[in-house]
Amino acid sequence: MTRRLTLLFLAALLPLLAGAGQAQAAGYRYWSFWERDGSAWTYATVGPSMSRPADGDVVGFRFSVSEDSGDAAKPRGASGFDTICAKTPAEDGTKRVALVIDFGTPADAPSGAQPPAGRTVCAQVAQDATTAEALASVAEPLRYDSNALLCAIAGYPAKGCGEQVAAGGKESAATGAADTEEEASAQDDGGSGPSVGLIAGAAVVVVLGAAAVWQVRRRA
């Protein structure tokens, strides 16, 4: 009987530990920056303010929730430079940069927001212009945070910047996540205290533990 109670104790403990792991943040909601290499997208190794594309280059931006660059969603669409910049003739002293701007899916959008339709646009800028300057010339307003992180393209999203997102898709950080004091309070409670499932699981463990102790004393 004691052995059976021990097994029940462990069976209750394992889901509890698993639930604690699942409660950790799943990723961040942000704009990722990409460069087109032939027909493939590669995650940019520098930020748009440090990147200086050449005439004929294709760059992309994708808004999504991802844990890191390894699982970041790529910009959708197969349009190349010749298609995007077909109606923009070359001019001396300038360069043309094709941009693919993917505002993501409703699942990646902040609460209550609806992502705009994706767009492709040709930016004609000075030869020494950065990707950030090319983007600003065709997709204002842009928004950056105090650390120069790109927060919004063409005003989307209206608020928030690289906020942490929990496994359920809800913001777990306070960075522009809550619209009201009640929402902020609810998020603070969820982030600093145990969940209902965690409390319930702990209660089961305590009950089984007490039963095991009672059984051992009874057999003594």
Side-chain angles (χ1 to χ4, degrees), residues 140-204:
E140 288 188 332
L142 305 182
R143 179 165 55 85
Y144 292 87
D145 71 358
S146 58
N147 297 312
L149 177 65
L150 179 60
C151 304
I153 296 176
Y156 181 82
K159 61 181 179 178
C161 191
E163 60 267 23
Q164 203 172 48
V165 179
K170 297 181 179 179
E171 293 89 348
S172 59
T175 311
D179 290 331
T180 65
E181 292 182 2
E182 290 78 9
E183 290 176 359
S185 176
Q187 288 177 3
D188 289 342
D189 291 343
S192 61
S195 66
V196 173
L198 193 61
I199 295 173
V204 172

Side-chain angles (χ1 to χ4, degrees), residues 61 99 123 125 130-142 144 153:
F61 293 87
L99 293 101
V125 291
T130 65
T131 299
E133 290 170 330
L135 180 64
S137 72
V138 296
E140 288 188 332
L142 305 182
Y144 292 87
I153 296 176

